[in-house]
Amino acid sequence: MPRTFRCLAVRLTLTVAALAAGAAVSAETGHDLWLRYAPLADGAARAAYRQSASAIVVPLATPTGEIVASELKRGLTGLLGAEIPRADRPSSAGAIVAGTPASPLIAALGWTETLARLGDEGYVIRAATVGGVPATVIASKGEAGVLYGAFHLLRLIQTGEPLLRVDIAERPRIARRLLNHWDNLDGSIERGYAGRSFWWPDRVDARVVDYARANASIGINGTVINSVNANPQSLTAPLLEKAAAIAAMLRPYRIRVYLAANFSAPRTIGGLATNDPLDPGVARWWRAKADEIYRLIPDFGGFVVKANSEGQPGPQDYGRTHADGANVLADALAPHGGVVMWRAFVYNADVDPDRVKRAYAEFVPLDGKFRANVFAQVKNGPLDFQPREPFHPMFGAMPKTPLMAELQITQEYLGQSNHLVYLAPMWKEFLDADTFAKGPGSPVARVVDGSLEGKSDTGIAGVANTGLDANWTGHDLAQANWYAFGRLAWDPGLGAGAIADEWIRMTWGDAPDVVATIRSILLDSREAYVHYTMPLGLHHLIGGDHYAPMPENTDSRRADWSATFYHRADASGIGYDRTRAGSGGVEQYQAPLREWWSHPASTPDDLLLWFHHLPWDYRMKSGRTLWDELVLSYGRGVDEAKGLELRWATLRGRIDEARYQAVLAKLRRQSDDAKAWRDKCVAYFEAARTRRP
Ligand code: GCV
C-alpha cells in the first residue's frame, strides 16, 4: 500500500476506534469523584456480582443506617446496572447484610469478640450464612464501622475484587482523621485553588452532602470548617449556630465538626480586658464558651489554634508559654471530651537565625507540660509544605505529647491546581522516614499512630484542596490527593501505587491500559515537580504567590520569606549549611541521622542543599559537578513534565472527552511552566555562579 494510503488507513482506524470507545464514555464533570458507580464494563463480572447482591438488608434504623442502605443501593444499582431491592431480612442466596450486633441477625453470627477488638470504626466483611441463606456480611461494633465497611464493599466491586469467600477485617490505625479547611467567613479560601467555600458565608447543602459521602468513603471522621487564621467572630453565637447546622448534616456520616479558635476571642468577642491564659476570668470565659458550644454541638471535636505565628495572637503576648495557652482551652474542653490541636507552625525570628529550627526549639522543652487532651499539630517538614523536606524533627522528640501530623492536600507550593503532583509518594516518604527515636525502625508513622511511644489519642490532619469548582479540586487529577490522604490516614502502611490503582479504577475506569497509563503519570509526577522546581534539596525558590519561580526574591519584610535566604547562591557555592559549622539544624535529629546529614557524602542527593552549602564544582556521587547535576535536574524535570502530557495524550477516546481535555490543558500548562522554572533558575544560578565576588 502506498505510504499516503497507509497513513490514511491508520488514521481512519484510529478515528473509528476512538469514536467507538468515545461512544461508551459519556461526558463527566468530575463532581462524582471516585463514587461514580459507572456500570462495570465486564458483563461476566457484573453477572457474578449480581449473584452476591440479590438484596440489601440493613437492620439499622438510624440516620447512619439509612445512609448505608441508600449508598449500597446507589452503588450496586449503578455498578451492576440493575435495581437491587432492599429487604428486611435475607430470603434468598446472595444478600448483602450490614449492621451491628444490636441486630439479632448480626448478633447470631457470634462475632462479638472480633468486633469488640476492631472497635466502633473497624469492621469485618465476610461471607456467612445469615437466616439460613448465604450472604455477604458487613458487621461492626459501631455504626461508623458499618458505614466504612459498606464503602469498602463498594470499593471491592469498583476495583474488581471477588466477593466470594471474602474475609476482611479492618480498623483505622489513627484515631482522628481530619480535614482542615482554610476557609474564611467571607467565602474565600486561603491557599484554595478550586473555587470558593461551601461552608461560608452560606452553606451549599448539596455540596455538603456529597462532601460527607466522599469523606465517609475514605474514613475521614472530622473537619475543621474555618481557617486557622481564625476570625474571632467564628465563636460568636450566630456563627456557632451555623456550625451546629453543619455538624448536624455531617453527624450521620460520622464526621465531627471542629473549629479554629482565635486566641484573642476573650477580648475581641468576650469584652474582657485580657487574653492572658493564667487570668481566672479568661479561663472562666473559655469554659463558658466550651459549654455553649457543646450545648449546640454535643459531639464537637475541639479547637485548632494558630498562636504566636504569622501575626496571630497567643499566650506569648502575655509572657506565657504555648503550654499555658493550650492548657486553658484544654481545661475548658476536657469535661466534654474535646481536644486542642495547638499548631507548632511557629518561627519567631528571635528564637534562632534558622527558621527551620524554631518550632523544635520552642516546643520540645514543653514536652510533658501540656494537658492530656492537647495535641501539638506539626507539619510534615520543618519549613512549610515544600516539595521535599526532611521530616520535622519534632516527630520522635516529644514522647509525652500526642503529635498530630499536618499534611497539605492543597498544593500551595506544588503548582496549586495547575500542576499534577500526586502527593501520596511524598507523604509516604514522610510517614516511612525513620526518626531513630527508639533506635532503628522508629518511623514517623509509628509516632503518629501512637504505637512507638504508647500514645492512645492519635491524629492526622490534611489541609483540604476542595472548593465549589464543579470537580471539587480544580485539577481532575488532584482528586487523587484528597483520596490518598484519607486512605493513608486510615492506614499509613498502604502503598502510593496501590492507592493510585484504587482511585483510578473508581474514577476513570478499569481498562488495564488506562489504569497503567494514569498510574505511571501519577507516580512520576512528584519527582518531576521536584526536578524542575527545587532539585537537590533546594527550597522556597518562590515569591509571595508561592507559584512562579523567583530565586531572586529578597523579601524586605522578613528575610525568611525570601528565596535568597535559603539558597544562598553566590560565586562560592549554593545551599543552606545546617551542619554544626552552620546553623546546627542537624542537631535536632537523632543519631545516626545527625551524623549522616552532617557530611555531604552521607546525605542523600535529594536533601543535599537542604543541609549543605557546597561549591559549584563539588563532585556528586554521579561523578558530575554539582552545577552540572543541577542543570541536568532542571532539564530532566522539563522532559518529565512533557512526558506526563504525552502519556496523557494516549488516553484520547479511552476516557470521557471532557475530563480528557481538561486534564490535557492542565498538563500542557505544567509543561510550559516547567520550562519557565528551568530557564529562570538556570539563568539565575549561572549568573550567581559566575559573578565576581
Ligand atoms: C493559614 C503558610 C501559608 C499561609 C498559612 C500558614 C499556616 O505560611 O502560606 O497561608 O496560613 O502557612 O500554615 O498557618
Side-chain angles (χ1 to χ4, degrees):
M1 201 190 290
R3 199 170 168 274
T4 357
F5 285 118
R6 211 167 46 225
C7 287
L8 196 64
V10 168
R11 223 178 306 149
L12 268 176
T13 319
L14 287 176
T15 314
V16 171
L19 284 175
V25 285
S26 55
E28 300 199 34
T29 62
H31 174 89
D32 292 334
L33 296 162
W34 48 90
L35 302 177
R36 291 158 64 243
Y37 301 137
L40 298 180
D42 177 348
R46 234 172 24 231
Y49 285 124
R50 288 278 306 275
Q51 304 281 312
S52 309
S54 60
I56 298 163
V57 180
V58 183
L60 188 60
T62 64
T64 303
E66 199 40 49
I67 288 167
V68 168
S70 68
E71 194 70 34
L72 284 173
K73 189 162 173 61
R74 178 177 181 159
L76 293 171
T77 302
L79 289 162
L80 308 184
E83 276 291 319
I84 310 296
R86 283 178 66 174
D88 291 340
R89 42 183 37 260
S91 57
S92 60
I96 291 178
V97 183
T100 69
S103 152
L105 284 179
I106 303 291
L109 294 168
W111 297 349
T112 321
E113 236 173 71
T114 310
L115 297 183
R117 190 169 44 77
L118 295 172
D120 282 346
E121 295 189 315
Y123 53 84
V124 297
I125 305 177
R126 256 188 214 162
T129 302
V130 183
V133 296
T136 304
V137 179
I138 303 162
S140 169
K141 179 167 168 284
E143 292 187 39
V146 181
L147 180 66
Y148 298 151
F151 277 112
H152 190 150
L153 179 119
L154 289 168
R155 186 166 71 235
L156 293 175
I157 301 176
Q158 286 168 290
T159 55
E161 295 292 330
L163 287 188
L164 280 179
R165 290 184 288 282
V166 62
D167 188 0
I168 288 170
E170 287 255 348
R171 60 171 304 166
R173 264 178 65 185
I174 299 174
R176 294 175 195 268
R177 305 174 300 278
L178 268 57
L179 290 184
N180 282 192
H181 290 266
W182 287 355
D183 293 23
N184 299 312
L185 301 182
D186 65 1
S188 60
I189 302 180
E190 178 148 355
R191 311 300 176 187
Y193 312 102
R196 291 172 66 78
S197 171
F198 42 81
W199 313 121
W200 319 108
D202 299 308
R203 200 179 68 231
V204 181
D205 284 2
R207 269 282 147 144
V208 173
V209 169
D210 285 335
Y211 166 87
R213 288 177 53 235
N215 280 327
S217 77
I218 49 177
I220 301 284
N221 65 3
T223 185
V224 182
I225 56 178
N226 62 323
S227 171
V228 290
N229 286 332
N231 185 328
Q233 295 300 319
S234 316
L235 298 185
T236 57
L239 287 164
L240 289 178
E241 271 161 29
K242 284 194 172 196
I246 293 171
M249 291 187 75
L250 299 182
R251 188 168 297 121
Y253 295 89
R254 319 306 291 191
I255 299 168
R256 294 163 93 182
V257 158
Y258 296 67
L259 288 170
N262 185 303
F263 198 75
S264 75
R267 274 186 68 185
T268 42
I269 62 168
L272 302 193
T274 178
N275 301 311
D276 183 350
L278 300 193
D279 181 283
V282 169
R284 248 194 324 275
W285 188 88
W286 282 111
R287 276 202 303 275
K289 187 50 74 181
D291 295 347
E292 179 190 350
I293 295 174
Y294 279 92
R295 274 195 299 276
L296 289 164
I297 312 174
D299 55 352
F300 178 64
F303 294 132
V304 64
V305 187
K306 172 174 177 177
N308 294 122
S309 164
E310 299 189 329
Q312 293 296 329
Q316 294 176 337
D317 305 345
Y318 302 90
R320 312 299 186 193
T321 68
H322 281 291
D324 296 329
N327 290 345
V328 70
L329 274 72
D331 288 343
L333 295 169
H336 307 283
V339 297
V340 172
M341 294 156 295
W342 194 264
R343 292 179 86 232
F345 181 64
V346 295
Y347 55 99
N348 291 333
D350 48 4
V351 172
D352 192 282
D354 184 359
R355 172 168 163 181
V356 308
K357 291 176 63 189
R358 296 172 189 157
Y360 179 105
E362 288 212 60
F363 273 75
V364 171
L366 297 176
D367 193 29
K369 303 222 157 54
F370 292 99
R371 298 283 191 267
N373 59 334
V374 175
F375 283 89
Q377 182 162 314
V378 189
K379 292 188 181 183
N380 58 291
L383 181 49
D384 189 14
F385 297 137
Q386 299 301 293
R388 171 166 273 125
E389 297 191 35
F391 70 86
H392 200 304
M394 281 175 67
F395 292 100
M398 296 191 68
K400 299 186 185 128
T401 312
L403 299 186
M404 175 160 303
E406 183 178 307
L407 307 177
Q408 196 184 49
I409 312 172
T410 191
Q411 296 166 228
E412 176 181 353
Y413 295 93
L414 288 110
Q416 302 174 3
S417 57
N418 290 325
H419 291 216
L420 161 65
V421 185
Y422 176 52
L423 296 170
M426 183 174 91
W427 295 334
K428 284 297 287 181
E429 188 174 292
F430 160 67
L431 292 164
D432 293 346
D434 200 342
T435 66
F436 290 91
K438 297 216 163 165
S442 307
V444 169
R446 292 198 52 218
V447 176
V448 177
D449 76 10
S451 62
L452 189 73
E453 297 153 328
K455 290 171 185 166
S456 51
D457 204 356
T458 55
I460 188 163
V463 180
N465 62 346
T466 51
L468 275 175
D469 274 7
N471 68 0
W472 298 88
T473 54
H475 194 312
D476 287 291
L477 296 178
Q479 296 175 355
N481 291 330
W482 179 8
Y483 183 83
F485 170 76
R487 298 291 287 130
L488 286 173
W490 180 271
D491 181 0
L494 292 173
I499 295 172
D501 277 357
E502 288 177 7
W503 178 78
I504 297 162
R505 283 170 202 274
M506 294 192 279
T507 313
W508 297 93
D510 63 357
D513 58 327
V514 170
V515 176
T517 302
I518 301 182
R519 180 183 206 269
S520 78
I521 291 173
L522 291 181
L523 290 178
D524 290 350
S525 59
R526 188 276 185 125
E527 225 48 63
Y529 189 82
V530 170
H531 287 149
Y532 66 77
T533 59
M534 303 185 195
L536 303 181
L538 285 174
H539 40 289
H540 211 280
L541 301 180
I542 32 75
D545 62 358
H546 294 180
Y547 181 82
M550 208 175 155
E552 75 280 17
N553 172 26
T554 305
D555 198 301
S556 56
R557 295 164 302 168
R558 282 189 72 134
D560 56 13
W561 287 349
S562 302
T564 47
F565 178 79
Y566 298 101
H567 65 66
R568 299 177 177 232
D570 60 19
S572 75
I574 181 170
Y576 200 117
D577 183 359
R578 296 195 164 101
T579 67
R580 286 164 201 133
S583 80
V586 287
E587 297 289 358
Q588 292 183 340
Y589 291 92
Q590 318 265 349
L593 293 177
R594 55 167 68 146
E595 278 309 316
W596 291 346
W597 293 346
S598 291
H599 308 286
S602 48
T603 305
D605 279 359
D606 53 21
L607 288 176
L608 194 64
L609 302 177
W610 182 282
F611 286 113
H612 303 281
H613 185 86
L614 296 170
W616 297 101
D617 59 359
Y618 172 78
R619 204 47 72 182
M620 302 287 295
K621 295 183 186 81
S622 64
R624 284 184 280 273
T625 64
L626 170 57
W627 169 243
D628 285 347
E629 193 80 33
L630 202 62
V631 174
L632 191 79
S633 175
Y634 279 112
R636 183 191 302 168
V638 168
D639 293 345
E640 287 166 340
K642 187 72 188 166
L644 302 179
E645 180 198 328
L646 295 178
R647 268 179 278 168
W648 185 262
T650 67
L651 294 171
R652 179 96 201 261
R654 306 284 295 128
I655 55 176
D656 61 288
E657 185 69 6
R659 288 189 301 165
Y660 167 79
Q661 290 294 352
V663 171
L664 185 65
K666 297 270 186 189
L667 291 174
R668 284 197 174 129
R669 162 132 195 211
Q670 178 166 4
S671 187
D672 289 345
D673 284 352
K675 285 188 212 130
W677 268 94
R678 176 200 58 196
D679 294 348
K680 176 114 190 228
C681 292
V682 170
Y684 175 86
F685 290 131
E686 169 70 354
R689 186 176 77 96
T690 51
R691 195 171 300 132
R692 291 191 172 282

